Amino acid sequence: MTRVAVVWTKINRVKWAPMKTTATTLYPFVPSGPHFDVALEFFAELGFEKLWQHDGLAGLRFGGAFFMLQQIDVPEWQKNQMITFEVTDLDAYWEEIGSLNLAGRFEGAKLRPPTQFAWGREIHIIDPGGVCWHVRQAAASAS
């Protein structure tokens, strides 16, 4: 399969060009909302380990999922951002987080149990800053 990139031409039309390398991982920046420390605590409850923290940024990892929590509060951005990560066992993950009363303990947090959608089964989590997280069952790996 050929890797491609988008290149803008002088008349603003998209042209596809082959790339010599490929991306391996995507590390999004996620706004914390008004309370950075509360957001760190919330993500720890979801299983994310804080790898580092410096000047209003923190690197958080849960298995193969990684993101940078940014100390910033932009409600319009937060209510429009959605992020998806996959877990090895969606039902087991729900059993763990569903019993933590996160919505009762973290203002603004909401959780929806595993629900079947046209695109697959997901848990939905709204973090205290307002970002919507879609948690999906990871596809079975080919053996």
Side-chain angles (χ1 to χ4, degrees), residues 79-100:
K79 73 180 183 182
N80 285 290
Q81 184 169 9
M82 292 186 266
I83 298 180
T84 300
F85 70 92
E86 295 181 338
V87 293
T88 55
D89 187 331
L90 189 67
D91 292 314
Y93 188 61
W94 176 252
E95 282 184 33
E96 289 185 78
I97 67 168
S99 65
L100 297 175

Side-chain angles (χ1 to χ4, degrees), residues 55-74:
D55 286 344
L57 285 174
L60 304 180
R61 178 177 300 283
F62 175 38
F66 180 88
F67 72 96
M68 288 181 266
L69 187 67
Q70 183 176 12
Q71 186 174 5
I72 190 168
D73 184 26
V74 183

Side-chain angles (χ1 to χ4, degrees), residues 81-87 89-95 97 110-126 132-139:
Q81 184 169 9
M82 292 186 266
I83 298 180
T84 300
F85 70 92
E86 295 181 338
V87 293
D89 187 331
L90 189 67
D91 292 314
Y93 188 61
W94 176 252
E95 282 184 33
I97 67 168
K110 298 177 187 172
L111 285 83
R112 175 189 279 176
T115 304
Q116 185 65 46
F117 298 94
W119 56 88
R121 200 158 164 261
E122 295 183 341
I123 294 168
H124 290 168
I125 302 168
I126 306 293
C132 181
W133 295 78
H134 295 245
V135 186
R136 300 178 48 83
Q137 173 69 48

Side-chain angles (χ1 to χ4, degrees), residues 1-20:
M1 186 163 142
T2 304
R3 305 276 189 238
V4 296
V6 177
V7 180
W8 287 98
T9 65
K10 288 183 179 180
I11 57 172
N12 292 332
R13 291 197 179 145
V14 177
K15 177 182 176 186
W16 297 98
M19 298 299 292
K20 294 178 183 170

Side-chain angles (χ1 to χ4, degrees), residues 47-59:
F48 285 88
E49 174 188 9
K50 181 174 67 172
L51 302 177
W52 54 267
Q53 181 176 345
H54 181 72
D55 286 344
L57 285 174

